[in-house]
Amino acid sequence: MSNEINPLYSNLRGLTDSEVSKSRQEHGENTLTPPKRTPLWKLYLDKYKDPIIKILLVAAVISLALACINGEFIESVGIILAIVLATTIGFWFEMDAAKKFNVLTALGEESPVKVRRDGKVVEVARKDIVVGDVVIIEVGDEIPADGTLIESTDLQIDESSLTGEPIITKHADPAKNDTEATYASSKVLRSTMVMNGRGTYQVTEVGDATEIGKVSRASTEITAVKTPLNLQLDKLAKLISKFGIGISVAAFIIFLTRDIVLDSEGIWASTDYLRMAETVLQYFMMAVTLIVMAVPEGMPMAVTLSLALNMRRMLKNNNLVRKLHACETMGAVTVICTDKTGTLTQNKMQVADMKQYDADDALFRSAIALNTTAHLDEEGGKGIGNPTEVALLLWLEKNGVDYRALRKDEDIEAQLPFSTERKYMATIGKIGGKRILMVKGAPEIVASFCDITPEARQEIGDRLRGYQNQAMRTLAFAYRVLADGEQADMTAVAAGPKLTFQAVTAISDPIRLDVPDAVKQCVSAGINVKIVTGDTSATAIEIARQIGIWNAETPAEAQITGPDFAALSDDEAYQRVAKLRVMSRARPTDKQRLVNLLQKRGEVVAVTGDGTNDAPALNHAHVGLSLGSGTSVAKEASDMTLLDDSFGSIVNAVMWGRSLYRNIQRFLYFQLIVNVTALLLVLGGSVIGTELPLTVTQILWVNLIMDTFAALALASLPPSREVMKDKPRKQSDFIITRGMAQGIIIIGLAFFAVLFAFLIHCNQSAGDLHVHELSIFFTTFVMLQFWNLFNAKSFGSNHSAFHAFTHDNGLLLVLAIILGGQWIIVTFGGKMFRTDPLSLQEWLVIIAATSPVMWIGEIWRCIKRVINK
Ligand code: ATP
């Protein structure tokens, strides 16, 4: 383990501002041209590929041809127009949703990269990297652009995104080039990941000129990804379709047979084949239209729309969704395993106390300045890198010490960065002409490397407990002077000679103010919160107490350390995880085991992680949550990124997930009632022997309302905190609950009964009166659904339908469209829709007479509110 240097490079100052702009002009920006998308018109035509739509269109065209002979083609034209209109509206919504997904790629370009510019270390967005930049990389970073290593320490890179190689060792030293490898060992490539070590490299290619830029990638539309809910709904849609097709075929046979048997117009006894064909076609078209209506093509759209909206709203709330399923799975989560630092705490680390045990002040200061991977931004006083180390550098600065003067890169001979497994970091460097091995890390680890008297050990122990009981993070420092030429193995300090114990420090990091409240919400939502931290048990328990998951009565078994947990047998661990609230001194493997065991217990687990080694746990969990400040590797492995690191954002994501699920349920509730009513009506109509109760064009309008418009109205309902009072649903639960199914059947049957009675009445009238009454019938049908939309909105809640009504923009718009659309159709529809204008009085009567659908719902909800109180 030592530094490798590429002799070709000597200037490490990096580019000046003017050099940066010059390079950008010459070589361009570091962005990839997005892959070509399928052209819009092709996507649009795809929408007509649906076999049922095709059949309907063909039938409509044939009927148009037949109708032209007798001059009554207006209805056929109406049908064709209605199909085109419905398809176009559906397409438009889908495109709109797809646009909302695009944020994901844009955000990656903004991720920060550490570069050296004009002698200073600064962070710039990935897209702002230019050819010639000197980039600093360390464990967990994603390489922002192609380049050649200047200097490296134990650098290992995951090149699987490019060459399929999961681990490749890279060398700055050209002498160590591996000739077998696809790319030179000194070459690092955009979009590969640093899995180990650190290094500095100079950028040689940016943007499309990089290797990954050259690989032409197929356009992957994120909307194509099917989430578990999608899959469940697909199954449901198939079931409903089968049912609808059965009824349609039955209606077709009954209508046609009756027509032939009765033969009231004497067609079937004659040789008028044209009329016969027309009649068959008419019934056929009705049957196909019924199928169009029965097939819930709006269902996938409702999900897509909800997911797209959720994703965008979540982003506003600092949750970046990487895998779509996370949106909905978050709603089913039963356990959240959370990190401490940054998620529960503010990550504003500050040295609260520093106690030195070694007299050499200057050595200690140099050790802090050298044994670190962090930097301070010269202008802002802001830190770059590990927050603990930044806190230490800031402490030096506060004490009037310029760490830059103490640290020259040439002085660092070798470095072992901090890792959560080892819990210490080490550096070999030159201080005052001597070679020194410097170690800092968790106090018990560092102390085990040192010779300490029992009295001193006692004093240190007491002091540390004091800090930890105040929820502070503790750290210890030690050193050893190395003999000339002595090779010290930094990964095995314990095996070498004893070190001198130098100091302990306490770093405060107060909890986020919103966390106790967010935790309370989780508890009332039936979600268990567990802290998994690398810190000591005393610190972790104090944090647990502050956020409200630990009190005086909590049994001791609710806490365990990582090593103790690892020592438990699988059975013991399986029992233990149920009671666990705090896991301290945890390593990534412990976290992963915890996640697996919880899943075995049937829990739906969300887990946070920021480090490279958290990737397996993030992958295994139902929802892996990476932190915005975490490494690229962790982000890549996660399903969602908490951009602000905050626990509060997790709770928000749960709320969004649950609301999404509920909105889909509302949509299904509404749509299935329309389906049941319409199918029964047509079937009933065929039995009692009226003409078609609803014409093809009318059914198409109803279909537009219940599929497209309902998806828009209900899928876009804003989330509500109310969902956090329920217990989590089981992931295996069917989306249509028992209560829902009962509601759909009862209300569907009630609508059918009312309308069917009306239909029998209409049947007794004749001539113009007949069309007029059928128009009233059609309008009544639509208005019943109109009012039921209010009930659908309140489904799953006891609130009045008018609760927060002004926020439901989509719903208001859809209500207006239904009412306006129906008026236009009835008033001007004429032959195309088989309608006759209604008088104002008739309109008012229909609206008033159908409104009890909502009023009864309101009364029912009011009763439930009173009972619940
Ligand atoms: P969490 O896992 O909740 O984020 P954590 O950040 O405290 O908790 P680790 O980062 O694994 O967990 O830290 C474990 C211990 O290692 C700390 O308590 C501290 O003593 C020590 N430590 C943390 N950061 C460093 C560092 N950069 N250098 C040396 N030691 C460190």
Side-chain angles (χ1 to χ4, degrees):
M1 171 172 344
S2 63
N3 268 20
E4 290 166 7
I5 308 283
N6 190 332
L8 293 175
Y9 295 90
S10 54
N11 173 20
L12 285 175
R13 285 188 61 80
L15 304 178
T16 61
D17 284 352
S18 61
E19 283 168 334
V20 168
S21 15
K22 195 161 152 254
S23 169
R24 187 167 294 137
Q25 263 179 1
E26 240 169 80
H27 306 280
E29 290 211 357
N30 188 29
T31 48
L32 301 180
T33 317
K36 262 219 179 80
R37 283 172 188 279
T38 324
L40 271 188
W41 60 268
K42 249 192 200 157
L43 290 175
Y44 180 68
L45 284 189
D46 271 357
K47 300 246 40 155
Y48 289 95
K49 281 209 180 127
D50 185 87
I52 297 176
I53 295 280
K54 269 196 234 160
I55 295 175
L56 188 58
L57 272 176
V58 170
V61 171
I62 296 175
S63 92
L64 186 64
L66 291 178
C68 280
I69 301 172
N70 55 26
E72 292 207 3
F73 50 84
I74 197 98
E75 185 173 3
S76 314
V77 172
I79 294 170
I80 296 173
L81 280 182
I83 297 170
V84 172
L85 183 72
T87 314
T88 310
I89 293 179
F91 177 73
W92 187 77
F93 280 135
E94 269 178 30
M95 283 301 106
D96 194 47
K99 243 190 270 159
K100 293 182 177 111
F101 286 120
N102 283 343
V103 288
L104 200 62
T105 28
L107 236 88
E109 301 294 355
E110 295 295 331
S111 50
V113 175
K114 291 180 281 287
V115 289
R116 227 177 253 279
R117 282 198 180 156
D118 211 6
K120 294 172 205 143
V121 177
V122 289
E123 272 184 336
V124 302
R126 184 170 79 188
K127 65 173 174 18
D128 294 333
I129 294 290
V130 296
V131 170
D133 259 332
V134 176
V135 177
I136 300 172
I137 47 174
E138 56 186 16
V139 182
D141 286 347
E142 186 179 338
I143 309 274
D146 291 5
T148 309
L149 285 167
I150 299 170
E151 167 252 346
S152 71
T153 311
D154 290 330
L155 193 60
Q156 286 186 311
I157 296 217
D158 174 357
E159 259 181 21
S160 51
S161 60
L162 210 56
T163 59
E165 283 293 332
I167 281 288
I168 287 240
T169 307
K170 294 280 177 180
H171 303 281
D173 187 352
K176 293 191 179 161
N177 189 22
D178 173 5
T179 47
E180 304 269 295
T182 323
Y183 296 101
S185 295
S186 58
K187 186 101 185 152
V188 288
L189 303 149
R190 179 176 167 137
S191 90
T192 60
M193 302 274 184
V194 184
M195 303 309 281
N196 193 24
R198 45 179 295 279
T200 312
Y201 79 95
Q202 186 157 41
V203 174
T204 50
E205 285 94 17
V206 293
D208 289 337
T210 61
E211 290 303 315
I212 193 89
K214 286 189 222 157
V215 183
S216 78
R217 289 159 311 151
S219 147
T220 45
E221 302 247 305
I222 190 161
T223 37
V225 182
K226 292 251 172 190
T227 71
L229 190 58
N230 277 139
L231 295 176
Q232 204 187 90
L233 289 180
D234 279 353
K235 257 194 231 151
L236 179 65
K238 276 204 191 107
L239 190 77
I240 299 172
S241 306
K242 270 191 201 144
F243 202 68
I245 292 172
I247 292 191
S248 309
V249 172
F252 173 70
I253 294 172
I254 298 173
F255 266 117
L256 191 63
T257 319
R258 199 177 43 84
D259 204 304
I260 296 173
V261 172
L262 294 181
D263 200 11
S264 53
E265 290 173 49
I267 311 168
W268 301 99
S270 71
T271 49
D272 191 351
Y273 298 116
L274 191 65
R275 288 288 301 279
M276 285 183 204
E278 255 181 18
T279 313
V280 173
L281 194 65
Q282 186 197 8
Y283 291 133
F284 178 73
M285 207 137 65
M286 176 225 49
V288 179
T289 315
L290 270 188
I291 296 175
V292 170
M293 192 196 62
V295 174
E297 67 270 20
M299 215 141 78
M301 195 178 88
V303 180
T304 312
L305 205 67
S306 307
L307 288 171
L309 280 170
N310 251 28
M311 204 165 149
R312 205 172 55 162
R313 286 170 177 161
M314 287 228 235
L315 190 59
K316 273 196 199 140
N317 274 283
N318 289 316
N319 288 323
L320 173 68
V321 178
R322 290 172 182 276
K323 314 232 168 84
L324 263 190
H325 81 87
C327 279
E328 50 176 87
T329 314
M330 275 313 282
V333 158
T334 57
V335 177
I336 299 172
C337 299
T338 173
D339 269 338
K340 170 182 71 78
T341 310
T343 314
L344 301 176
T345 67
Q346 299 177 7
N347 218 359
K348 285 196 190 127
M349 297 208 194
Q350 240 179 357
V351 172
D353 199 14
M354 183 73 87
K355 168 75 182 163
Q356 272 172 252
Y357 291 90
D358 183 70
D360 195 341
D361 232 24
L363 178 66
F364 181 52
R365 287 169 178 200
S366 291
I368 294 180
L370 261 69
N371 187 15
T372 183
T373 52
H375 301 268
L376 292 184
D377 195 325
E378 234 156 299
E379 281 97 53
K382 183 176 76 106
I384 299 174
N386 182 312
T388 308
E389 298 177 353
V390 168
L392 291 168
L393 292 183
L394 284 171
W395 177 79
L396 276 187
E397 198 170 69
K398 213 173 92 192
N399 285 290
V401 181
D402 179 9
Y403 84 95
R404 291 175 202 87
L406 296 178
R407 175 161 90 199
K408 281 182 216 75
D409 287 315
E410 307 85 274
D411 291 342
I412 298 177
E413 187 181 308
Q415 197 160 61
L416 178 73
F418 173 76
S419 88
T420 306
E421 286 92 351
R422 277 190 293 260
K423 298 213 183 321
Y424 72 88
M425 97 166 263
T427 301
I428 298 175
K430 269 216 175 69
I431 299 172
K434 280 188 247 166
R435 287 174 71 225
I436 313 268
L437 165 65
M438 296 159 267
V439 176
K440 76 172 195 297
E444 74 274 17
I445 308 272
V446 175
S448 73
F449 300 157
C450 301
D451 241 346
I452 308 174
T453 63
E455 302 82 61
R457 200 171 280 278
Q458 177 73 33
E459 196 274 337
I460 294 168
D462 289 346
R463 175 178 291 277
L464 289 172
R465 267 186 294 283
Y467 294 144
Q468 286 159 7
N469 287 335
Q470 296 169 59
M472 294 220 236
R473 204 176 161 78
T474 48
L475 228 69
F477 300 80
Y479 74 95
R480 182 162 73 84
V481 180
L482 299 181
D484 268 347
E486 181 187 345
Q487 287 299 326
D489 183 355
M490 291 190 292
T491 55
V493 179
K498 291 290 182 194
L499 274 60
T500 310
F501 197 79
Q502 212 170 7
V504 293
T505 184
I507 296 177
S508 71
D509 181 15
I511 63 163
R512 287 172 178 266
L513 297 178
D514 60 337
V515 168
D517 195 46
V519 170
K520 215 185 259 165
Q521 281 186 44
C522 282
V523 173
S524 77
I527 300 170
N528 280 314
V529 179
K530 300 183 194 296
I531 301 180
V532 183
T533 174
D535 220 323
T536 61
S537 48
T539 310
I541 288 176
E542 175 55 23
I543 293 280
R545 199 189 57 73
Q546 290 183 13
I547 65 165
I549 59 167
W550 194 283
N551 57 31
E553 279 98 62
T554 309
E557 299 113 80
Q559 191 279 138
I560 197 167
T561 65
D564 286 351
F565 184 64
L568 294 181
S569 73
D570 277 346
D571 277 345
E572 289 167 328
Y574 180 83
Q575 300 303 334
R576 188 69 178 265
V577 292
K579 295 172 229 154
L580 211 59
R581 293 194 197 170
V582 173
M583 188 188 285
S584 54
R585 285 296 189 228
R587 298 152 301 183
T589 44
D590 304 322
K591 203 188 242 184
Q592 191 187 339
R593 188 176 186 213
L594 174 68
V595 168
N596 289 343
L597 285 170
L598 284 168
Q599 286 178 324
K600 235 187 227 163
R601 298 192 69 98
E603 308 281 359
V604 180
V605 186
V607 66
T608 63
D610 52 359
T612 308
N613 301 324
D614 286 328
L618 290 170
N619 261 329
H620 278 247
H622 290 101
V623 187
L625 303 161
S626 57
L627 307 186
S629 63
T631 61
S632 299
V633 175
K635 287 181 190 163
E636 198 72 10
S638 68
D639 305 298
M640 197 185 278
T641 302
L642 310 172
L643 295 177
D644 62 352
D645 293 5
S646 165
F647 186 80
S649 298
I650 306 181
V651 181
N652 273 335
V654 172
M655 182 184 73
W656 291 102
R658 289 185 175 192
S659 298
L660 176 134
Y661 191 76
R662 175 144 304 164
N663 284 349
I664 302 292
Q665 283 184 320
R666 289 169 169 151
F667 169 72
L668 286 175
Y669 170 83
F670 178 77
Q671 176 173 63
L672 291 178
I673 288 178
V674 186
N675 242 339
V676 168
T677 319
L679 285 176
L680 285 179
L681 263 185
V682 176
L683 196 61
S686 70
V687 173
I688 61 159
T690 99
E691 70 175 287
L692 297 175
L694 293 168
T695 65
V696 172
T697 38
Q698 286 175 353
I699 295 178
L700 287 174
W701 165 240
V702 170
N703 187 49
L704 194 64
I705 294 179
M706 67 177 223
D707 258 342
T708 312
F709 292 159
L712 173 67
L714 300 169
S716 67
L717 287 177
S720 109
R721 292 252 158 231
E722 225 184 5
V723 291
M724 297 303 277
K725 288 187 197 127
D726 299 338
K727 295 292 156 239
R729 70 178 147 96
K730 283 207 197 72
Q731 239 204 342
S732 56
D733 280 354
F734 188 46
I735 187 155
I736 299 184
T737 61
R738 234 188 135 88
M740 247 173 107
Q742 281 167 354
I744 291 167
I745 292 171
I746 293 172
I747 298 178
L749 281 176
F751 283 1
F752 165 69
V754 171
L755 289 164
F756 198 55
F758 198 154
L759 196 62
I760 293 171
H761 165 77
C762 289
N763 220 20
Q764 285 152 4
S765 54
D768 285 346
L769 182 64
H770 190 58
V771 171
H772 192 78
E773 292 205 327
L774 281 175
S775 303
I776 297 180
F777 169 80
F778 171 46
T779 307
T780 306
F781 181 95
V782 169
M783 288 312 294
L784 283 175
Q785 314 304 338
F786 174 89
W787 291 116
N788 201 34
L789 204 48
F790 287 83
N791 293 336
K793 182 221 150 165
S794 300
F795 173 81
S797 115
N798 294 338
H799 278 307
S800 153
F802 296 100
H803 179 79
F805 204 45
T806 46
H807 295 293
D808 308 333
N809 299 339
L811 179 66
L812 287 171
L813 179 71
V814 166
L815 287 171
I817 292 178
I818 295 178
L819 206 55
Q822 183 67 17
W823 182 79
I824 292 173
I825 288 174
V826 170
T827 312
F828 306 107
K831 279 233 167 74
M832 199 184 274
F833 279 92
R834 194 191 64 193
T835 51
D836 193 34
L838 302 180
S839 68
L840 179 65
Q841 198 192 356
E842 281 168 325
W843 269 103
L844 291 178
V845 170
I846 296 174
I847 291 175
T850 48
S851 68
V853 172
M854 182 195 71
W855 297 125
I856 294 171
E858 282 294 282
I859 293 169
W860 174 240
R861 286 186 283 276
C862 183
I863 294 173
K864 280 202 290 186
R865 276 202 298 276
V866 172
I867 293 173
N868 273 7
K869 256 187 197 157

